[in-house]
Amino acid sequence: MQKLWSLEGEYAIIETFCADHKIPAPMPKIEPETMMQNKQLPNVHLRKEWDLRVRTWFNQPGRKLRRRNARVAKAAKIAPRPLELLRPAVHCPTVKYNRKTRVGRGFTLEELKAAGISAKYAATIGIAVDYRRKNRSEESLAVNTQ
């Protein structure tokens, strides 16, 4: 007589009977606290206060409206000036992109001097100033001072 697994009680009797008659023995019931596989835990009730454990976006339409109203209010408050700073046209770096122009960080001191504006005054009227940039060509200086 060969034992398939060692259990006490009624499963031991069924086990010996099945082994004698050469039939497969039924599997024993496994209680939830003695589960052997990495499966989902049974009987979990996490339905209360689910919104505390989940990031919701129910306030997205309200935020969108608030941001839009803030932009309109800012534009009305600084009415004659533009909303964004005035920025220069600069050439992109590297051989691949240097034929293209893009919006730069700010005007150089030399460009502002050629236009007749001081750097401190330019910052107050909405013109971006970049102290680090240098003019390396007369063409870029002419484009940004006109």
Side-chain angles (χ1 to χ4, degrees):
M1 180 170 70
Q2 183 182 11
K3 282 195 157 189
L4 300 175
W5 63 77
S6 59
L7 290 174
E8 279 24 92
E10 62 183 11
Y11 284 114
I13 296 168
I14 294 170
E15 178 184 84
T16 54
F17 176 79
C18 292
D20 290 340
H21 296 333
K22 297 181 181 170
I23 57 172
M27 292 297 291
K29 291 181 184 176
I30 299 175
E31 297 298 322
E33 58 267 359
T34 61
M35 291 183 71
M36 295 180 196
Q37 290 87 13
N38 188 11
K39 293 183 179 176
Q40 184 177 3
L41 291 173
N43 212 12
V44 177
H45 299 289
L46 295 175
R47 299 182 210 358
K48 294 180 181 176
E49 299 176 354
W50 62 273
D51 55 335
L52 297 179
R53 291 182 283 276
V54 176
R55 180 73 176 113
T56 59
W57 287 91
F58 298 139
N59 57 355
Q60 186 181 22
R63 280 186 180 176
K64 180 180 179 181
L65 188 64
R66 188 190 318 152
R67 281 195 299 268
R68 179 173 167 74
N69 292 338
R71 281 194 298 270
V72 169
K74 183 178 179 182
K77 183 179 168 186
I78 58 170
R81 291 189 336 193
L83 281 175
E84 297 175 355
L85 296 175
L86 182 66
R87 297 187 184 274
V90 297
H91 283 276
C92 298
T94 72
V95 174
K96 184 176 181 181
Y97 297 107
N98 64 5
R99 59 181 159 58
K100 293 189 172 191
T101 57
R102 63 171 175 85
V103 177
R105 179 183 169 89
F107 291 94
T108 62
L109 298 175
E110 191 178 351
E111 290 167 351
L112 292 173
K113 189 175 182 182
I117 302 171
S118 69
K120 287 190 177 183
Y121 181 66
T124 62
I125 60 171
I127 298 175
V129 180
D130 188 3
Y131 295 96
R132 301 169 299 179
R133 213 178 110 232
K134 295 174 185 165
N135 289 102
R136 292 183 175 85
S137 66
E138 293 295 324
E139 293 84 9
S140 67
L141 179 64
V143 167
N144 287 325
T145 55
Q146 63 179 349

